[in-house]
Structure formats: structure tokens, C-alpha cells
Amino acid sequence: MSTSRNAIADHLSEDLPYKLSPEDVFLTSGCTQAIEIVVSVLSRPGLVFLFYEARCAFSGLEVRHFNLVPEREWEIDLNMVEALADGNTAAMVVINPCNPCGSVFSYQHLAKVAETAQNLGIVIIADEVYDHLVFGKKPFVPMGAFGQITPILTLGFISKRWGVPGWRLGWIATSDPKHILKETKVVQCIKSFLDISTDPATFVQGAVTAIIKNTNGDFFNKIIEALRKSSELCCEKLQEIDCVRCPSKPEGSMSLLVELNLSSLDGIQDDFEFCCKLAKEESVIVLPGTAVGLKNWLRVSFAVELSSLDDALDRLKSFCRRHRKKTH
Ligand SMILES: *Cc1c(COP(=O)(O)O)cnc(C)c1O
Ligand SMILES: *[C@@H]1O[C@H](CO)[C@@H](O)[C@H](O)[C@H]1NC(C)=O
């Protein structure tokens, strides 16, 4: 256990201005359990959350949504965060690189996010499941780099970057050089929670050190190169389809968002109906934006083999052509 926590602390510290210790790292059964823990730990009756909808609903917490602005490369609308938060707000969630938008936040934007959280007196939950899966112009900057400004709980997971989703190993790391999370007993609460829940399987824990320390750089380069190619193909082909609009090229993660132009389509009411008909007629699955709070948008995953992606986008194109409103 301590060696895997060591390995994760070293791994995360590579990108931070200070060093994490193994005591700053808590192992979880995947990211889903990490989410469960931070939600439970930060919740007291009456508290309000700015995130992770399903889990919060289950715990009877209120979720408030802030917008990401497509015209500004999906940056967080921080004025809206300020307007939404009140004395009961406990935390905000920042997913970077972003699933579903495919965006990567700049250093400057993350600094502003940290300052906003500091002003509001809230914790940032940084979901960095896609850390380093970037292929655009901006580098990945961990939220933990701003731990001096406001306490950060970073959630990570070996599934996406190391490609082992079934191994169910994740972590919560506290980036908190000012020890605010210790003083407010959040850290103690995380420990108590883990004391009464199951640990990740021992053989997976045993493998983590080797996974993190010995994975060849070529392995990551190959994945990133594949994502770069498939994201480019995806953008190129989407541009040829006139019923959708892609506001910005993805720079990270494995998906992007496009806006549907319903007025160019005949007999399709909304994103949900679009996706159902597309699945039925072309056997192509895209997620309706409604599922991520964006009505009449579509989330397109490009983490598929190039030839399948190419085929799927051709089918999307002929679907749109077939349902195009006739003009006279
Ligand atoms: C995939 C993913 C996770 C991890 O979820 P698991 O089901 O536990 O693997 C967490 N957050 C985001 C944003 C993800 O895309
Ligand atoms: C949407 O489609 C209509 C009809 O084809 C077209 O007139 C309009 O310009 C399109 N809007 C956008 C934002 O592309």
C-alpha cells in the first residue's frame, strides 16, 4: 500500500511546484469511489454542490450548474460561479482535460479558477482522469499547481491514460501546502471513510508502482498520436456536415462537442431524437448533449480506430443529408 502511494505521490509531484508525500494520497476503487468519498466527506446537511450530479442527487445534495463557454475554448464562466455560490457551497468540480468538451484549460485560466474558489472559500475537486492526454497547443497543467491559493482534491485513475479501465484503481490526492484540509478535518474524514470501505485489490495495488514507474514513454506517445490523428479526422469530416457546428478543435481527452442546427433538419425535434434515429438508421452511437446539460448538442467520441471513425462520420453525413430540410 505505501509503495503504491509513494509511486503515485512521485508521479503527481513531477508537475507540481512542491512535493506530495504518500500521506497526501488515498487509494480508491476507481474514480467512481473517489467521487463518492469526496462528495460524502464534503457534505453536511444543507450544503450545496456545484457538480457531479448523480452522486449528489443520491446523497440529497443540491447541485448548481455553471456554464463552460464554447466561444472561449470552453473556459469556465467564473462570473456565473460567483453568482451561483453562497455560504452553503462546499466545492466546485473542474474536469481538465475536459470530457465531454475535449478542451484543455490554460495556466492563466486555472489560476483565475483558483482565485475564484479562494474568494468563495470553497474547495476545488479536480477531476484529472485524462491528465497528460493532450495533443493541442496547450500543455496539461494540474490544478494542484495552485494549491497555495486554495485547497485542491485531485482525482486520478489509471484507466484512461494507462488503458486499464477494468482494474479499478484510482486516487484522491490532497494538494494543500497550507494544511487547510487537515485543519478542517477533511483529511481525517477521508481516512475514516476508507477505514470502513474496501481497499482496491491487493494485486492491483502491488502492480501500480511498476505501472507508473516502468511504462515506456512510447506507450503514451502512441496513444496521444492516435488521439491526435482521430481528433483531426473527426474535425475535418464534421466540417463537411452542414447540420453540425464544432466551435473549437479538441486539445485533449477523447471526445468533443458539436452544436446541432435543428432548423436545417426535417422532422427532428431535438438532440435526443437525432441520436435515436441515427442509431436506428446508421448504427452510429453519439451521446445527446442533454445528457451533459447541453440541449441540442452532440458529444462525439473519437477514441475509436481511424477506419471505424471514418465510416461512422460518413454515415453521420449521409444521415444529415437524408434528413435535410428541402429548400425551394
Ligand atoms: C472515465 C471518467 C472517470 C472514471 O470513471 P470510472 O467509471 O470510475 O472509470 C471519472 N471522471 C471522468 C470525467 C471520466 O471521463
Ligand atoms: C442553420 O440552418 C439554416 C437552414 O439550412 C441556415 O439558414 C442557417 O444559416 C444555419 N445556421 C447556422 C448557425 O449555421
Side-chain angles (χ1 to χ4, degrees), residues 135 222-238 246 249-256 300-311 313:
F135 39 82
K222 259 189 209 149
I223 294 179
I224 287 170
E225 214 30 60
L227 288 171
R228 185 202 315 279
K229 279 205 186 104
S230 60
S231 70
E232 277 166 6
L233 176 76
C234 201
C235 286
E236 257 167 47
K237 297 204 90 159
L238 285 169
C246 185
K249 269 179 97 160
E251 293 190 59
S253 93
M254 303 175 177
S255 62
L256 57 79
V300 180
S301 166
F302 48 79
V304 273
E305 217 187 307
L306 273 185
S307 57
S308 306
L309 185 65
D310 199 41
D311 181 22
L313 290 162

PDB file of all heavy atoms in Angstrom, residues 135 222-238 246 249-256 300-311 313:
ATOM      1  N   PHE A 135      -3.092  16.886 -26.911  1.00  0.00           N
ATOM      2  CA  PHE A 135      -2.450  16.827 -28.226  1.00  0.00           C
ATOM      3  C   PHE A 135      -2.629  18.132 -28.975  1.00  0.00           C
ATOM      4  O   PHE A 135      -2.529  18.191 -30.192  1.00  0.00           O
ATOM      5  CB  PHE A 135      -3.008  15.638 -29.033  1.00  0.00           C
ATOM      6  CG  PHE A 135      -4.485  15.438 -28.844  1.00  0.00           C
ATOM      7  CD1 PHE A 135      -5.380  16.194 -29.566  1.00  0.00           C
ATOM      8  CD2 PHE A 135      -4.969  14.532 -27.894  1.00  0.00           C
ATOM      9  CE1 PHE A 135      -6.738  16.045 -29.372  1.00  0.00           C
ATOM     10  CE2 PHE A 135      -6.336  14.380 -27.695  1.00  0.00           C
ATOM     11  CZ  PHE A 135      -7.230  15.136 -28.443  1.00  0.00           C
ATOM     12  N   LYS A 222       2.263   6.857 -28.381  1.00  0.00           N
ATOM     13  CA  LYS A 222       1.415   6.164 -29.357  1.00  0.00           C
ATOM     14  C   LYS A 222      -0.054   6.514 -29.142  1.00  0.00           C
ATOM     15  O   LYS A 222      -0.782   6.795 -30.092  1.00  0.00           O
ATOM     16  CB  LYS A 222       1.578   4.642 -29.206  1.00  0.00           C
ATOM     17  CG  LYS A 222       2.492   4.046 -30.258  1.00  0.00           C
ATOM     18  CD  LYS A 222       2.441   2.530 -30.182  1.00  0.00           C
ATOM     19  CE  LYS A 222       3.761   1.950 -30.636  1.00  0.00           C
ATOM     20  NZ  LYS A 222       4.099   0.688 -29.973  1.00  0.00           N
ATOM     21  N   ILE A 223      -0.489   6.482 -27.876  1.00  0.00           N
ATOM     22  CA  ILE A 223      -1.887   6.797 -27.569  1.00  0.00           C
ATOM     23  C   ILE A 223      -2.199   8.237 -27.973  1.00  0.00           C
ATOM     24  O   ILE A 223      -3.216   8.525 -28.615  1.00  0.00           O
ATOM     25  CB  ILE A 223      -2.186   6.589 -26.064  1.00  0.00           C
ATOM     26  CG1 ILE A 223      -2.060   5.108 -25.717  1.00  0.00           C
ATOM     27  CG2 ILE A 223      -3.570   7.117 -25.694  1.00  0.00           C
ATOM     28  CD1 ILE A 223      -2.303   4.787 -24.253  1.00  0.00           C
ATOM     29  N   ILE A 224      -1.288   9.155 -27.616  1.00  0.00           N
ATOM     30  CA  ILE A 224      -1.526  10.571 -27.903  1.00  0.00           C
ATOM     31  C   ILE A 224      -1.541  10.811 -29.414  1.00  0.00           C
ATOM     32  O   ILE A 224      -2.382  11.552 -29.930  1.00  0.00           O
ATOM     33  CB  ILE A 224      -0.483  11.450 -27.177  1.00  0.00           C
ATOM     34  CG1 ILE A 224      -0.825  11.453 -25.679  1.00  0.00           C
ATOM     35  CG2 ILE A 224      -0.450  12.870 -27.732  1.00  0.00           C
ATOM     36  CD1 ILE A 224       0.207  12.057 -24.791  1.00  0.00           C
ATOM     37  N   GLU A 225      -0.630  10.158 -30.114  1.00  0.00           N
ATOM     38  CA  GLU A 225      -0.573  10.289 -31.573  1.00  0.00           C
ATOM     39  C   GLU A 225      -1.880   9.768 -32.200  1.00  0.00           C
ATOM     40  O   GLU A 225      -2.435  10.383 -33.105  1.00  0.00           O
ATOM     41  CB  GLU A 225       0.638   9.510 -32.096  1.00  0.00           C
ATOM     42  CG  GLU A 225       1.334  10.113 -33.301  1.00  0.00           C
ATOM     43  CD  GLU A 225       1.244  11.627 -33.392  1.00  0.00           C
ATOM     44  OE1 GLU A 225       1.704  12.351 -32.476  1.00  0.00           O
ATOM     45  OE2 GLU A 225       0.689  12.092 -34.397  1.00  0.00           O
ATOM     46  N   ALA A 226      -2.351   8.635 -31.685  1.00  0.00           N
ATOM     47  CA  ALA A 226      -3.599   8.061 -32.205  1.00  0.00           C
ATOM     48  C   ALA A 226      -4.771   9.023 -31.948  1.00  0.00           C
ATOM     49  O   ALA A 226      -5.624   9.232 -32.820  1.00  0.00           O
ATOM     50  CB  ALA A 226      -3.866   6.705 -31.565  1.00  0.00           C
ATOM     51  N   LEU A 227      -4.803   9.633 -30.744  1.00  0.00           N
ATOM     52  CA  LEU A 227      -5.886  10.564 -30.423  1.00  0.00           C
ATOM     53  C   LEU A 227      -5.791  11.824 -31.284  1.00  0.00           C
ATOM     54  O   LEU A 227      -6.805  12.354 -31.734  1.00  0.00           O
ATOM     55  CB  LEU A 227      -5.855  10.941 -28.937  1.00  0.00           C
ATOM     56  CG  LEU A 227      -6.299   9.843 -27.961  1.00  0.00           C
ATOM     57  CD1 LEU A 227      -6.025  10.256 -26.521  1.00  0.00           C
ATOM     58  CD2 LEU A 227      -7.794   9.540 -28.134  1.00  0.00           C
ATOM     59  N   ARG A 228      -4.552  12.283 -31.524  1.00  0.00           N
ATOM     60  CA  ARG A 228      -4.371  13.472 -32.360  1.00  0.00           C
ATOM     61  C   ARG A 228      -4.921  13.202 -33.767  1.00  0.00           C
ATOM     62  O   ARG A 228      -5.707  13.974 -34.304  1.00  0.00           O
ATOM     63  CB  ARG A 228      -2.882  13.837 -32.446  1.00  0.00           C
ATOM     64  CG  ARG A 228      -2.610  15.155 -33.211  1.00  0.00           C
ATOM     65  CD  ARG A 228      -1.194  15.256 -33.744  1.00  0.00           C
ATOM     66  NE  ARG A 228      -0.186  14.864 -32.774  1.00  0.00           N
ATOM     67  CZ  ARG A 228       0.276  15.641 -31.797  1.00  0.00           C
ATOM     68  NH1 ARG A 228      -0.166  16.863 -31.683  1.00  0.00           N
ATOM     69  NH2 ARG A 228       1.178  15.184 -30.964  1.00  0.00           N
ATOM     70  N   LYS A 229      -4.534  12.063 -34.317  1.00  0.00           N
ATOM     71  CA  LYS A 229      -4.978  11.736 -35.679  1.00  0.00           C
ATOM     72  C   LYS A 229      -6.496  11.603 -35.745  1.00  0.00           C
ATOM     73  O   LYS A 229      -7.138  12.138 -36.643  1.00  0.00           O
ATOM     74  CB  LYS A 229      -4.348  10.403 -36.118  1.00  0.00           C
ATOM     75  CG  LYS A 229      -2.927  10.553 -36.608  1.00  0.00           C
ATOM     76  CD  LYS A 229      -2.578   9.419 -37.576  1.00  0.00           C
ATOM     77  CE  LYS A 229      -1.120   9.467 -37.977  1.00  0.00           C
ATOM     78  NZ  LYS A 229      -0.307   8.440 -37.281  1.00  0.00           N
ATOM     79  N   SER A 230      -7.065  10.872 -34.784  1.00  0.00           N
ATOM     80  CA  SER A 230      -8.509  10.647 -34.863  1.00  0.00           C
ATOM     81  C   SER A 230      -9.272  11.946 -34.585  1.00  0.00           C
ATOM     82  O   SER A 230     -10.313  12.186 -35.197  1.00  0.00           O
ATOM     83  CB  SER A 230      -8.951   9.511 -33.948  1.00  0.00           C
ATOM     84  OG  SER A 230      -8.645   9.794 -32.629  1.00  0.00           O
ATOM     85  N   SER A 231      -8.729  12.826 -33.708  1.00  0.00           N
ATOM     86  CA  SER A 231      -9.436  14.095 -33.461  1.00  0.00           C
ATOM     87  C   SER A 231      -9.388  14.964 -34.714  1.00  0.00           C
ATOM     88  O   SER A 231     -10.359  15.654 -35.042  1.00  0.00           O
ATOM     89  CB  SER A 231      -8.851  14.828 -32.257  1.00  0.00           C
ATOM     90  OG  SER A 231      -7.564  15.324 -32.537  1.00  0.00           O
ATOM     91  N   GLU A 232      -8.264  14.924 -35.445  1.00  0.00           N
ATOM     92  CA  GLU A 232      -8.160  15.734 -36.664  1.00  0.00           C
ATOM     93  C   GLU A 232      -9.107  15.241 -37.747  1.00  0.00           C
ATOM     94  O   GLU A 232      -9.806  16.024 -38.386  1.00  0.00           O
ATOM     95  CB  GLU A 232      -6.707  15.751 -37.174  1.00  0.00           C
ATOM     96  CG  GLU A 232      -5.896  16.802 -36.434  1.00  0.00           C
ATOM     97  CD  GLU A 232      -4.402  16.675 -36.630  1.00  0.00           C
ATOM     98  OE1 GLU A 232      -3.970  15.830 -37.449  1.00  0.00           O
ATOM     99  OE2 GLU A 232      -3.674  17.430 -35.955  1.00  0.00           O
ATOM    100  N   LEU A 233      -9.134  13.924 -37.906  1.00  0.00           N
ATOM    101  CA  LEU A 233     -10.062  13.343 -38.883  1.00  0.00           C
ATOM    102  C   LEU A 233     -11.499  13.732 -38.530  1.00  0.00           C
ATOM    103  O   LEU A 233     -12.301  14.125 -39.394  1.00  0.00           O
ATOM    104  CB  LEU A 233      -9.920  11.811 -38.912  1.00  0.00           C
ATOM    105  CG  LEU A 233     -10.906  11.086 -39.825  1.00  0.00           C
ATOM    106  CD1 LEU A 233     -10.491  11.235 -41.284  1.00  0.00           C
ATOM    107  CD2 LEU A 233     -11.018   9.609 -39.470  1.00  0.00           C
ATOM    108  N   CYS A 234     -11.796  13.635 -37.242  1.00  0.00           N
ATOM    109  CA  CYS A 234     -13.145  13.933 -36.760  1.00  0.00           C
ATOM    110  C   CYS A 234     -13.523  15.377 -37.095  1.00  0.00           C
ATOM    111  O   CYS A 234     -14.592  15.639 -37.640  1.00  0.00           O
ATOM    112  CB  CYS A 234     -13.160  13.695 -35.248  1.00  0.00           C
ATOM    113  SG  CYS A 234     -14.772  13.435 -34.570  1.00  0.00           S
ATOM    114  N   CYS A 235     -12.629  16.324 -36.780  1.00  0.00           N
ATOM    115  CA  CYS A 235     -12.917  17.741 -37.053  1.00  0.00           C
ATOM    116  C   CYS A 235     -13.077  18.004 -38.546  1.00  0.00           C
ATOM    117  O   CYS A 235     -14.003  18.704 -38.963  1.00  0.00           O
ATOM    118  CB  CYS A 235     -11.801  18.628 -36.518  1.00  0.00           C
ATOM    119  SG  CYS A 235     -11.825  18.760 -34.750  1.00  0.00           S
ATOM    120  N   GLU A 236     -12.161  17.438 -39.333  1.00  0.00           N
ATOM    121  CA  GLU A 236     -12.217  17.645 -40.784  1.00  0.00           C
ATOM    122  C   GLU A 236     -13.554  17.188 -41.350  1.00  0.00           C
ATOM    123  O   GLU A 236     -14.215  17.905 -42.093  1.00  0.00           O
ATOM    124  CB  GLU A 236     -11.141  16.796 -41.462  1.00  0.00           C
ATOM    125  CG  GLU A 236      -9.912  17.541 -41.907  1.00  0.00           C
ATOM    126  CD  GLU A 236      -8.814  16.560 -42.257  1.00  0.00           C
ATOM    127  OE1 GLU A 236      -9.110  15.585 -42.981  1.00  0.00           O
ATOM    128  OE2 GLU A 236      -7.677  16.753 -41.782  1.00  0.00           O
ATOM    129  N   LYS A 237     -13.938  15.976 -40.972  1.00  0.00           N
ATOM    130  CA  LYS A 237     -15.155  15.421 -41.561  1.00  0.00           C
ATOM    131  C   LYS A 237     -16.411  16.104 -41.024  1.00  0.00           C
ATOM    132  O   LYS A 237     -17.399  16.231 -41.735  1.00  0.00           O
ATOM    133  CB  LYS A 237     -15.209  13.905 -41.337  1.00  0.00           C
ATOM    134  CG  LYS A 237     -14.052  13.194 -42.029  1.00  0.00           C
ATOM    135  CD  LYS A 237     -14.360  11.770 -42.330  1.00  0.00           C
ATOM    136  CE  LYS A 237     -14.993  11.596 -43.672  1.00  0.00           C
ATOM    137  NZ  LYS A 237     -14.895  10.258 -44.233  1.00  0.00           N
ATOM    138  N   LEU A 238     -16.354  16.547 -39.767  1.00  0.00           N
ATOM    139  CA  LEU A 238     -17.522  17.246 -39.204  1.00  0.00           C
ATOM    140  C   LEU A 238     -17.758  18.568 -39.924  1.00  0.00           C
ATOM    141  O   LEU A 238     -18.897  19.019 -40.072  1.00  0.00           O
ATOM    142  CB  LEU A 238     -17.336  17.469 -37.700  1.00  0.00           C
ATOM    143  CG  LEU A 238     -17.517  16.230 -36.815  1.00  0.00           C
ATOM    144  CD1 LEU A 238     -17.047  16.505 -35.395  1.00  0.00           C
ATOM    145  CD2 LEU A 238     -18.980  15.770 -36.804  1.00  0.00           C
ATOM    146  N   CYS A 246     -18.823  22.736 -35.044  1.00  0.00           N
ATOM    147  CA  CYS A 246     -17.848  22.434 -33.987  1.00  0.00           C
ATOM    148  C   CYS A 246     -17.136  23.731 -33.617  1.00  0.00           C
ATOM    149  O   CYS A 246     -16.383  24.272 -34.418  1.00  0.00           O
ATOM    150  CB  CYS A 246     -16.851  21.396 -34.522  1.00  0.00           C
ATOM    151  SG  CYS A 246     -15.683  20.846 -33.285  1.00  0.00           S
ATOM    152  N   LYS A 249     -11.502  23.133 -31.884  1.00  0.00           N
ATOM    153  CA  LYS A 249     -10.834  21.845 -32.046  1.00  0.00           C
ATOM    154  C   LYS A 249     -10.484  21.261 -30.687  1.00  0.00           C
ATOM    155  O   LYS A 249     -10.018  21.994 -29.801  1.00  0.00           O
ATOM    156  CB  LYS A 249      -9.521  22.054 -32.815  1.00  0.00           C
ATOM    157  CG  LYS A 249      -9.658  21.919 -34.314  1.00  0.00           C
ATOM    158  CD  LYS A 249      -8.318  22.157 -34.971  1.00  0.00           C
ATOM    159  CE  LYS A 249      -7.625  20.831 -35.250  1.00  0.00           C
ATOM    160  NZ  LYS A 249      -6.582  20.969 -36.276  1.00  0.00           N
ATOM    161  N   PRO A 250     -10.718  19.965 -30.497  1.00  0.00           N
ATOM    162  CA  PRO A 250     -10.348  19.384 -29.209  1.00  0.00           C
ATOM    163  C   PRO A 250      -8.829  19.386 -29.020  1.00  0.00           C
ATOM    164  O   PRO A 250      -8.079  19.286 -29.994  1.00  0.00           O
ATOM    165  CB  PRO A 250     -10.882  17.954 -29.290  1.00  0.00           C
ATOM    166  CG  PRO A 250     -11.009  17.663 -30.730  1.00  0.00           C
ATOM    167  CD  PRO A 250     -11.293  18.963 -31.413  1.00  0.00           C
ATOM    168  N   GLU A 251      -8.407  19.559 -27.768  1.00  0.00           N
ATOM    169  CA  GLU A 251      -6.970  19.554 -27.457  1.00  0.00           C
ATOM    170  C   GLU A 251      -6.606  18.454 -26.473  1.00  0.00           C
ATOM    171  O   GLU A 251      -5.436  18.281 -26.125  1.00  0.00           O
ATOM    172  CB  GLU A 251      -6.570  20.902 -26.858  1.00  0.00           C
ATOM    173  CG  GLU A 251      -6.659  22.051 -27.815  1.00  0.00           C
ATOM    174  CD  GLU A 251      -6.011  23.297 -27.237  1.00  0.00           C
ATOM    175  OE1 GLU A 251      -4.814  23.261 -26.918  1.00  0.00           O
ATOM    176  OE2 GLU A 251      -6.722  24.301 -27.067  1.00  0.00           O
ATOM    177  N   GLY A 252      -7.624  17.748 -25.984  1.00  0.00           N
ATOM    178  CA  GLY A 252      -7.331  16.702 -25.013  1.00  0.00           C
ATOM    179  C   GLY A 252      -8.539  15.810 -24.810  1.00  0.00           C
ATOM    180  O   GLY A 252      -9.597  16.027 -25.413  1.00  0.00           O
ATOM    181  N   SER A 253      -8.392  14.803 -23.966  1.00  0.00           N
ATOM    182  CA  SER A 253      -9.423  13.801 -23.677  1.00  0.00           C
ATOM    183  C   SER A 253      -9.770  13.008 -24.942  1.00  0.00           C
ATOM    184  O   SER A 253      -8.931  12.880 -25.846  1.00  0.00           O
ATOM    185  CB  SER A 253     -10.645  14.406 -22.972  1.00  0.00           C
ATOM    186  OG  SER A 253     -11.660  14.798 -23.859  1.00  0.00           O
ATOM    187  N   MET A 254     -10.961  12.467 -25.026  1.00  0.00           N
ATOM    188  CA  MET A 254     -11.286  11.550 -26.114  1.00  0.00           C
ATOM    189  C   MET A 254     -12.596  11.886 -26.806  1.00  0.00           C
ATOM    190  O   MET A 254     -13.179  11.066 -27.487  1.00  0.00           O
ATOM    191  CB  MET A 254     -11.377  10.116 -25.565  1.00  0.00           C
ATOM    192  CG  MET A 254     -10.108   9.659 -24.879  1.00  0.00           C
ATOM    193  SD  MET A 254     -10.298   8.039 -24.123  1.00  0.00           S
ATOM    194  CE  MET A 254      -8.629   7.773 -23.500  1.00  0.00           C
ATOM    195  N   SER A 255     -13.096  13.110 -26.577  1.00  0.00           N
ATOM    196  CA  SER A 255     -14.385  13.454 -27.173  1.00  0.00           C
ATOM    197  C   SER A 255     -14.458  14.944 -27.463  1.00  0.00           C
ATOM    198  O   SER A 255     -13.604  15.722 -27.015  1.00  0.00           O
ATOM    199  CB  SER A 255     -15.515  13.049 -26.231  1.00  0.00           C
ATOM    200  OG  SER A 255     -15.390  13.761 -25.022  1.00  0.00           O
ATOM    201  N   LEU A 256     -15.460  15.331 -28.215  1.00  0.00           N
ATOM    202  CA  LEU A 256     -15.698  16.746 -28.494  1.00  0.00           C
ATOM    203  C   LEU A 256     -17.200  16.987 -28.554  1.00  0.00           C
ATOM    204  O   LEU A 256     -18.003  16.041 -28.582  1.00  0.00           O
ATOM    205  CB  LEU A 256     -15.019  17.164 -29.798  1.00  0.00           C
ATOM    206  CG  LEU A 256     -15.368  16.425 -31.087  1.00  0.00           C
ATOM    207  CD1 LEU A 256     -16.693  16.886 -31.667  1.00  0.00           C
ATOM    208  CD2 LEU A 256     -14.272  16.632 -32.123  1.00  0.00           C
ATOM    209  N   VAL A 300     -19.340  13.622 -29.393  1.00  0.00           N
ATOM    210  CA  VAL A 300     -18.793  12.622 -30.303  1.00  0.00           C
ATOM    211  C   VAL A 300     -17.484  12.104 -29.721  1.00  0.00           C
ATOM    212  O   VAL A 300     -16.564  12.876 -29.454  1.00  0.00           O
ATOM    213  CB  VAL A 300     -18.528  13.252 -31.699  1.00  0.00           C
ATOM    214  CG1 VAL A 300     -17.946  12.218 -32.656  1.00  0.00           C
ATOM    215  CG2 VAL A 300     -19.801  13.865 -32.272  1.00  0.00           C
ATOM    216  N   SER A 301     -17.411  10.809 -29.508  1.00  0.00           N
ATOM    217  CA  SER A 301     -16.157  10.236 -29.013  1.00  0.00           C
ATOM    218  C   SER A 301     -15.309   9.830 -30.212  1.00  0.00           C
ATOM    219  O   SER A 301     -15.794   9.203 -31.151  1.00  0.00           O
ATOM    220  CB  SER A 301     -16.458   9.015 -28.151  1.00  0.00           C
ATOM    221  OG  SER A 301     -15.256   8.291 -27.952  1.00  0.00           O
ATOM    222  N   PHE A 302     -14.006  10.218 -30.172  1.00  0.00           N
ATOM    223  CA  PHE A 302     -13.142   9.840 -31.286  1.00  0.00           C
ATOM    224  C   PHE A 302     -12.099   8.803 -30.872  1.00  0.00           C
ATOM    225  O   PHE A 302     -11.114   8.573 -31.577  1.00  0.00           O
ATOM    226  CB  PHE A 302     -12.488  11.078 -31.925  1.00  0.00           C
ATOM    227  CG  PHE A 302     -11.865  12.045 -30.953  1.00  0.00           C
ATOM    228  CD1 PHE A 302     -10.623  11.797 -30.395  1.00  0.00           C
ATOM    229  CD2 PHE A 302     -12.539  13.203 -30.589  1.00  0.00           C
ATOM    230  CE1 PHE A 302     -10.047  12.691 -29.503  1.00  0.00           C
ATOM    231  CE2 PHE A 302     -11.977  14.106 -29.684  1.00  0.00           C
ATOM    232  CZ  PHE A 302     -10.726  13.846 -29.148  1.00  0.00           C
ATOM    233  N   ALA A 303     -12.335   8.174 -29.711  1.00  0.00           N
ATOM    234  CA  ALA A 303     -11.402   7.126 -29.268  1.00  0.00           C
ATOM    235  C   ALA A 303     -11.769   5.799 -29.919  1.00  0.00           C
ATOM    236  O   ALA A 303     -12.091   4.813 -29.253  1.00  0.00           O
ATOM    237  CB  ALA A 303     -11.427   7.005 -27.744  1.00  0.00           C
ATOM    238  N   VAL A 304     -11.766   5.798 -31.222  1.00  0.00           N
ATOM    239  CA  VAL A 304     -12.029   4.570 -31.976  1.00  0.00           C
ATOM    240  C   VAL A 304     -11.019   4.486 -33.117  1.00  0.00           C
ATOM    241  O   VAL A 304     -10.415   5.485 -33.504  1.00  0.00           O
ATOM    242  CB  VAL A 304     -13.461   4.530 -32.577  1.00  0.00           C
ATOM    243  CG1 VAL A 304     -14.446   3.973 -31.609  1.00  0.00           C
ATOM    244  CG2 VAL A 304     -13.903   5.891 -33.077  1.00  0.00           C
ATOM    245  N   GLU A 305     -10.891   3.326 -33.647  1.00  0.00           N
ATOM    246  CA  GLU A 305      -9.963   3.108 -34.749  1.00  0.00           C
ATOM    247  C   GLU A 305     -10.311   4.036 -35.921  1.00  0.00           C
ATOM    248  O   GLU A 305     -11.485   4.266 -36.202  1.00  0.00           O
ATOM    249  CB  GLU A 305     -10.101   1.647 -35.189  1.00  0.00           C
ATOM    250  CG  GLU A 305      -8.800   1.021 -35.599  1.00  0.00           C
ATOM    251  CD  GLU A 305      -9.065  -0.352 -36.173  1.00  0.00           C
ATOM    252  OE1 GLU A 305      -9.736  -1.150 -35.485  1.00  0.00           O
ATOM    253  OE2 GLU A 305      -8.619  -0.599 -37.300  1.00  0.00           O
ATOM    254  N   LEU A 306      -9.281   4.526 -36.610  1.00  0.00           N
ATOM    255  CA  LEU A 306      -9.494   5.509 -37.678  1.00  0.00           C
ATOM    256  C   LEU A 306     -10.494   5.044 -38.730  1.00  0.00           C
ATOM    257  O   LEU A 306     -11.364   5.813 -39.146  1.00  0.00           O
ATOM    258  CB  LEU A 306      -8.162   5.824 -38.367  1.00  0.00           C
ATOM    259  CG  LEU A 306      -7.304   6.932 -37.749  1.00  0.00           C
ATOM    260  CD1 LEU A 306      -6.088   7.194 -38.623  1.00  0.00           C
ATOM    261  CD2 LEU A 306      -8.096   8.209 -37.533  1.00  0.00           C
ATOM    262  N   SER A 307     -10.385   3.785 -39.149  1.00  0.00           N
ATOM    263  CA  SER A 307     -11.260   3.316 -40.224  1.00  0.00           C
ATOM    264  C   SER A 307     -12.726   3.297 -39.761  1.00  0.00           C
ATOM    265  O   SER A 307     -13.632   3.666 -40.518  1.00  0.00           O
ATOM    266  CB  SER A 307     -10.831   1.933 -40.712  1.00  0.00           C
ATOM    267  OG  SER A 307     -10.828   1.033 -39.640  1.00  0.00           O
ATOM    268  N   SER A 308     -12.961   2.896 -38.504  1.00  0.00           N
ATOM    269  CA  SER A 308     -14.340   2.895 -37.977  1.00  0.00           C
ATOM    270  C   SER A 308     -14.857   4.322 -37.839  1.00  0.00           C
ATOM    271  O   SER A 308     -16.031   4.605 -38.124  1.00  0.00           O
ATOM    272  CB  SER A 308     -14.397   2.236 -36.598  1.00  0.00           C
ATOM    273  OG  SER A 308     -13.835   0.967 -36.634  1.00  0.00           O
ATOM    274  N   LEU A 309     -13.971   5.208 -37.385  1.00  0.00           N
ATOM    275  CA  LEU A 309     -14.366   6.606 -37.209  1.00  0.00           C
ATOM    276  C   LEU A 309     -14.738   7.216 -38.554  1.00  0.00           C
ATOM    277  O   LEU A 309     -15.758   7.906 -38.691  1.00  0.00           O
ATOM    278  CB  LEU A 309     -13.205   7.378 -36.568  1.00  0.00           C
ATOM    279  CG  LEU A 309     -13.468   8.832 -36.189  1.00  0.00           C
ATOM    280  CD1 LEU A 309     -14.525   8.928 -35.101  1.00  0.00           C
ATOM    281  CD2 LEU A 309     -12.175   9.496 -35.702  1.00  0.00           C
ATOM    282  N   ASP A 310     -13.910   6.931 -39.537  1.00  0.00           N
ATOM    283  CA  ASP A 310     -14.130   7.424 -40.898  1.00  0.00           C
ATOM    284  C   ASP A 310     -15.506   6.962 -41.407  1.00  0.00           C
ATOM    285  O   ASP A 310     -16.303   7.762 -41.911  1.00  0.00           O
ATOM    286  CB  ASP A 310     -13.001   6.859 -41.782  1.00  0.00           C
ATOM    287  CG  ASP A 310     -12.851   7.644 -43.061  1.00  0.00           C
ATOM    288  OD1 ASP A 310     -12.948   8.885 -43.002  1.00  0.00           O
ATOM    289  OD2 ASP A 310     -12.656   7.009 -44.115  1.00  0.00           O
ATOM    290  N   ASP A 311     -15.761   5.688 -41.224  1.00  0.00           N
ATOM    291  CA  ASP A 311     -17.027   5.098 -41.649  1.00  0.00           C
ATOM    292  C   ASP A 311     -18.201   5.751 -40.904  1.00  0.00           C
ATOM    293  O   ASP A 311     -19.204   6.141 -41.501  1.00  0.00           O
ATOM    294  CB  ASP A 311     -16.958   3.581 -41.374  1.00  0.00           C
ATOM    295  CG  ASP A 311     -18.217   2.862 -41.815  1.00  0.00           C
ATOM    296  OD1 ASP A 311     -18.936   3.395 -42.681  1.00  0.00           O
ATOM    297  OD2 ASP A 311     -18.485   1.762 -41.276  1.00  0.00           O
ATOM    298  N   LEU A 313     -18.402   8.671 -39.510  1.00  0.00           N
ATOM    299  CA  LEU A 313     -18.637  10.063 -39.902  1.00  0.00           C
ATOM    300  C   LEU A 313     -19.276  10.153 -41.284  1.00  0.00           C
ATOM    301  O   LEU A 313     -20.093  11.039 -41.541  1.00  0.00           O
ATOM    302  CB  LEU A 313     -17.327  10.858 -39.832  1.00  0.00           C
ATOM    303  CG  LEU A 313     -16.831  11.080 -38.381  1.00  0.00           C
ATOM    304  CD1 LEU A 313     -15.367  11.454 -38.359  1.00  0.00           C
ATOM    305  CD2 LEU A 313     -17.659  12.130 -37.659  1.00  0.00           C
TER     306      LEU A 313
END
